[in-house]
């Protein structure tokens, strides 16, 4: 009976060890499969993110180029307006400084007409 119990105990422990090894192998295989799937999903998500990021950067670059062109045109327009303003401003200076000369010339003509005519 002792022998039978030992044999049975040995058989049970061998079967239990086989079962533990089988469960361990199945668990390791399942974990490896899950990790591979997670890695593939992560790569796909990263690729999609990079694609979206590239499209966004291209759109941003296009938009910024358009804005830069508009700003450059606005600067050119403002420079033209400034030149026109200062041209007109220059004419005002010339008229301002010619006014006393004309006044003196008029005074000279009045004096000449009074005394020398």
């Amino acid at each position: 009976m002792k022998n039978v119990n030992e044999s049975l105990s040995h058989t049970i422990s061998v079967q239990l060890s086989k079962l533990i090894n089988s469960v361990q192998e199945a668990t390791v295989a399942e974990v490896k499969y899950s990790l591979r799937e997670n890695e593939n999903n992560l790569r796909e998500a990263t690729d999609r993110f990079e694609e979206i990021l590239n499209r966004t950067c291209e759109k941003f670059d296009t938009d910024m180029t358009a804005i830069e062109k508009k700003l450059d045109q606005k600067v050119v327009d403002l420079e033209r307006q400034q030149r026109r303003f200062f041209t007109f401003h220059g004419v005002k200076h010339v008229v301002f400084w010619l006014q006393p000369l004309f006044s003196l010339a008029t005074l000279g003509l009045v004096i000449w007409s009074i005394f020398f005519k």
Side-chain angles (χ1 to χ4, degrees):
M1 187 69 137
K2 208 176 196 184
N3 234 356
V4 173
N5 280 343
E6 286 177 10
S7 175
L8 188 58
S9 176
H10 179 67
T11 305
I12 290 173
S13 80
V14 167
Q15 290 298 323
L16 193 57
S17 294
K18 285 181 182 178
L19 183 61
I20 289 172
N21 288 340
S22 173
V23 168
Q24 242 179 353
E25 288 172 4
T27 303
V28 167
E30 188 66 30
V31 168
K32 283 182 180 179
Y33 175 77
S34 295
L35 287 175
R36 267 189 248 112
E37 284 297 313
N38 285 343
E39 181 184 13
N40 290 338
N41 291 339
L42 186 60
R43 282 188 180 147
E44 289 174 7
T46 302
D47 290 342
R48 284 193 308 269
F49 176 74
E50 286 177 352
E51 181 182 331
I52 291 169
L53 184 64
N54 287 337
R55 279 187 283 161
T56 303
C57 287
E58 288 172 4
K59 182 167 177 14
F60 181 76
D61 186 44
T62 303
D63 292 347
M64 287 296 109
T65 302
I67 289 172
E68 183 180 8
K69 285 179 183 177
K70 287 179 184 177
L71 288 175
D72 287 343
Q73 184 60 40
K74 191 67 174 172
V75 167
V76 168
D77 291 344
L78 287 173
E79 286 174 348
R80 284 183 190 147
Q81 286 178 352
Q82 181 183 15
R83 279 191 296 254
R84 273 189 256 132
F85 174 76
F86 283 115
T87 301
F88 177 70
H89 195 65
V91 170
K92 287 193 316 187
H93 276 293
V94 169
V95 170
F96 176 78
W97 290 109
L98 284 178
Q99 182 184 2
L101 291 175
F102 288 136
S103 295
L104 286 174
T106 306
L107 180 65
L109 286 174
V110 168
I111 291 174
W112 182 76
S113 68
I114 292 175
F115 293 114
F116 298 110
K117 232 181 178 198

